[in-house]
Amino acid sequence: MTTTTKTNSGVLSSKIQEQIDQLFSTILSEQQKFNTTKSADSDKVDFFKNKLDSYTKNRGREFFYNYISSGRGHGPFTELLDGSVKYDLINGIGVNLLGHSHPLMIKANLEAATVDTVMCGNLQTYVDANEASIALVNSVKEKSRLKHFWFTGSGGCANDLALKLIWQKKAPKYNLIAFKKAFAGRTVATQDITDKPDFREGMPKLLNVFYAPHFNQKNPDTSLENTLSALNDLWERNPDSFCAMMIELVQGEAGFIFGEKKFYEGIFKWAKEKGIYIWIDEVQTFGRTKELFAFQAFGLDQHVDMVTVAKAAHICGALYTEELNPKPGLIAGTFNGSIASIKMGQKTINYLLNGNFYGENGKIAQLEKKFLEKFQQLQTSVGKDKLSYFGGIGTMISFEVRDGNKKVTTNFAKKLFDNGVIAFTAGQDPARIRFLLPLALTDEHINEIFTIVEKTFNEDSWT
Ligand SMILES: Cc1ncc(COP(=O)(O)O)c(C=O)c1O
């Protein structure tokens, strides 16, 4: 029996491999049966309601959607515990980029079962963590100065880690520049970076964060000038006190606000001249633009000092330069992640980079084009008063319902859910409906999705 391969931990023998292959095929063919939308089974409705009520009671507050997964689903389809099957266009708020029960996911889970623990430790690590780190660092090392990767338990924790590294290097310059409508997570530090006061009601303000306007999609020509003027203003009021500029190149929770290469280059040049580090939050954008990272898609490789990832990467953490490598003692932690998620992280990176997903003619560019074309047709059909905006980049597409009123937008999202498409809301003033598309979508799926969206627009119950 071989116990460990160079790149995979766990027990392995020809018998185990044969059984893994058999299980893999059986699980995949069972999951592939979930390949079309379907309404709830009448005999499961009460059971589902009971489960939902008990979970709601337990956690003390209602869910946004009446959703509990049955653990069954394939590609863009997810089955709920009531037997209904819906299009999942939010995929775990960005995690399941490859779609449900993707072969790599099944493999990662089966391979993980051969390992002697569930979680990969930081003190006691496994070759899988090394392999995933190598895949991530290799994907950026050619053009950027990023050299190291450190695992964390979530996207918010990755941002906390990034802040600590930057603070240590820049002490005592602790002030941070962020952008209006930013979202950075729910930790004690990141709730202070997130530009949403109602997300930190009753919380003490622990960080000094100063906000500049992000790119203004309505006034692209004056955007850079406006933001630079705001930055100069911040500098004049708090001279030489900033450690970093933290930015999402595509602001996810704001409903996909993004700029142009020239805008980013302009603000990064300003920061660099003042000795301020550039920290990009790629927690939501990783894998979802025309390159593996959004900073690569915008051609900003030379500028980045710190990049945080999570969600679709299946591993969470920060990539940073040699200069930002911290002193011993600052960073540690029990877990790197589960063995299955770490294996999935490595597989995802290799799969995305070796498949035809990126570049001007890749699958992601095609999905972006198709969705924007379909929204253009839909706007002609339902009218601009109902569908007032649509836009997006890569697999991050959003639209506005009427004037972007938060309540109407929430009602629309819930109606869409009832009709068979799971999306989510984002932003406020205006609020938007947000899709985080899975790569498993075909033209046939897209046509059906737009039939459902159009039907929802034509119903009045959400208004
Ligand atoms: C841009 C961004 N940063 C950070 C986070 C926090 O990640 P997590 O929820 O994994 O802590 C999110 C989550 O939505 C995010 O979108």
Side-chain angles (χ1 to χ4, degrees):
M1 175 183 287
T2 321
T3 46
T4 300
T5 69
K6 239 166 58 187
T7 56
N8 266 317
S9 53
V11 286
L12 188 65
S13 64
S14 49
K15 185 162 181 210
I16 292 174
Q17 191 58 57
E18 200 181 297
Q19 289 175 335
I20 284 183
D21 291 346
Q22 256 176 27
L23 259 177
F24 169 79
S25 308
T26 314
I27 293 170
L28 184 60
S29 64
E30 283 301 313
Q31 293 282 25
Q32 279 171 335
K33 292 178 181 163
F34 299 87
N35 57 13
T36 182
T37 54
K38 174 180 162 299
S39 49
D41 297 325
S42 53
D43 59 340
K44 289 187 185 153
V45 170
D46 287 344
F47 166 74
F48 180 64
K49 191 180 172 309
N50 287 342
K51 288 283 170 215
L52 203 63
D53 286 349
S54 108
Y55 197 174
T56 301
K57 209 167 141 200
N58 217 312
R59 65 179 218 146
R61 53 187 286 201
E62 294 205 330
F63 286 91
F64 185 84
Y65 288 131
N66 291 337
Y67 179 95
I68 302 179
S69 170
S70 68
R72 299 190 286 232
H74 188 67
F77 298 103
T78 174
E79 190 203 48
L80 279 63
L81 220 47
D82 63 3
S84 64
V85 179
K86 298 179 189 293
Y87 276 106
D88 185 0
L89 298 194
I90 198 64
N91 45 89
I93 322 189
V95 178
N96 303 320
L97 174 63
L98 308 191
H100 290 264
S101 68
H102 190 279
L104 293 180
M105 242 175 228
I106 301 174
K107 279 197 174 144
N109 279 319
L110 288 173
E111 286 172 10
T114 69
V115 179
D116 60 344
T117 59
V118 170
M119 302 300 287
C120 172
N122 186 39
L123 177 70
Q124 293 174 283
T125 195
Y126 289 76
V127 279
D128 315 84
N130 184 30
E131 291 304 315
S133 301
I134 291 171
L136 205 55
V137 173
N138 280 351
S139 72
V140 295
K141 76 171 186 199
E142 215 173 286
K143 293 190 186 158
S144 82
R145 290 170 292 111
L146 302 170
K147 285 257 171 333
H148 303 289
F149 177 72
W150 191 273
F151 286 93
T152 61
S154 72
C157 292
N159 283 338
D160 273 17
L161 181 102
L163 186 63
K164 282 173 41 162
L165 268 51
I166 287 167
W167 270 351
Q168 186 175 71
K169 201 75 199 169
K170 294 292 280 187
K173 296 178 189 176
Y174 297 128
N175 287 347
L176 182 68
I177 296 174
F179 288 81
K180 288 184 181 154
K181 299 198 176 192
F183 182 84
R186 301 292 194 153
T187 64
V188 171
T190 55
Q191 70 181 358
D192 266 357
I193 303 172
T194 296
D195 181 26
K196 228 171 173 188
D198 51 335
F199 279 11
R200 51 172 181 260
E201 205 184 318
M203 298 289 104
K205 189 97 178 100
L206 302 175
L207 263 62
N208 288 324
V209 185
F210 297 83
Y211 297 94
H214 205 287
F215 189 76
N216 184 343
Q217 290 174 315
K218 288 193 176 133
N219 275 316
D221 294 343
T222 55
S223 256
L224 178 58
E225 197 185 314
N226 281 346
T227 301
L228 286 178
S229 149
L231 289 170
N232 282 324
D233 194 42
L234 291 182
W235 183 268
E236 269 167 39
R237 284 191 280 126
N238 311 274
D240 209 10
S241 65
F242 298 100
C243 57
M245 171 184 280
M246 195 264 207
I247 188 165
E248 298 156 84
L249 299 175
V250 183
Q251 290 187 311
E253 305 301 303
F256 304 137
I257 293 172
F258 60 97
E260 300 162 351
K261 180 178 168 112
K262 218 171 74 188
F263 172 80
Y264 297 123
E265 280 181 337
I267 56 173
F268 291 169
K269 183 166 171 281
W270 178 91
K272 279 284 147 80
E273 280 168 6
K274 298 191 157 37
I276 296 171
Y277 285 122
I278 310 291
W279 163 14
I280 317 265
D281 178 338
E282 295 250 13
V283 168
Q284 194 156 150
T285 46
F286 174 85
R288 293 193 168 274
T289 59
K290 288 178 199 162
E291 297 293 337
L292 189 65
F293 289 87
F295 78 77
Q296 295 170 328
F298 285 107
L300 303 166
D301 306 63
Q302 287 305 310
H303 302 273
V304 297
D305 298 296
M306 173 70 72
V307 173
T308 43
V309 296
K311 293 197 188 256
H314 280 75
I315 50 174
C316 309
L319 283 154
Y320 43 91
T321 60
E322 192 63 60
E323 192 178 316
L324 281 168
N325 203 6
K327 292 178 186 157
L330 188 71
I331 55 175
T334 307
F335 298 141
N336 283 350
S338 74
I339 301 275
S341 72
I342 290 170
K343 282 178 180 290
M344 185 58 191
Q346 186 207 346
K347 288 180 195 298
T348 301
I349 296 163
N350 292 338
Y351 175 74
L352 288 174
L353 290 177
N354 293 322
N356 181 27
F357 296 107
Y358 298 121
E360 288 310 315
N361 300 313
K363 171 93 184 179
I364 290 187
Q366 286 167 21
L367 278 176
E368 175 191 306
K369 188 163 169 274
K370 272 181 200 150
F371 268 78
L372 296 181
E373 278 170 8
K374 282 285 198 183
F375 268 117
Q376 184 63 66
Q377 289 163 15
L378 185 63
Q379 195 175 50
T380 310
S381 155
V382 300
K384 227 178 160 173
D385 57 326
K386 277 189 177 169
L387 173 54
S388 50
Y389 163 90
F390 62 89
I393 177 167
T395 58
M396 299 172 279
I397 306 288
S398 65
F399 61 98
E400 276 170 42
V401 180
R402 294 213 182 272
D403 61 353
N405 173 285
K406 181 85 188 166
K407 192 159 182 299
V408 169
T409 307
T410 300
N411 289 345
F412 189 92
K414 292 192 176 183
K415 197 68 219 168
L416 201 54
F417 178 89
D418 292 343
N419 288 341
V421 171
I422 312 178
F424 199 29
T425 57
Q428 57 193 89
D429 303 324
R432 289 178 176 169
I433 303 269
R434 171 173 48 144
F435 289 158
L436 284 161
L437 307 175
L439 297 175
L441 289 171
T442 63
D443 284 355
E444 198 187 324
H445 298 142
I446 297 171
N447 289 339
E448 194 187 358
I449 286 163
F450 275 88
T451 304
I452 297 171
V453 178
E454 179 158 13
K455 170 179 167 232
T456 309
F457 266 112
N458 289 331
E459 288 167 358
D460 285 334
S461 47
W462 51 268
T463 51

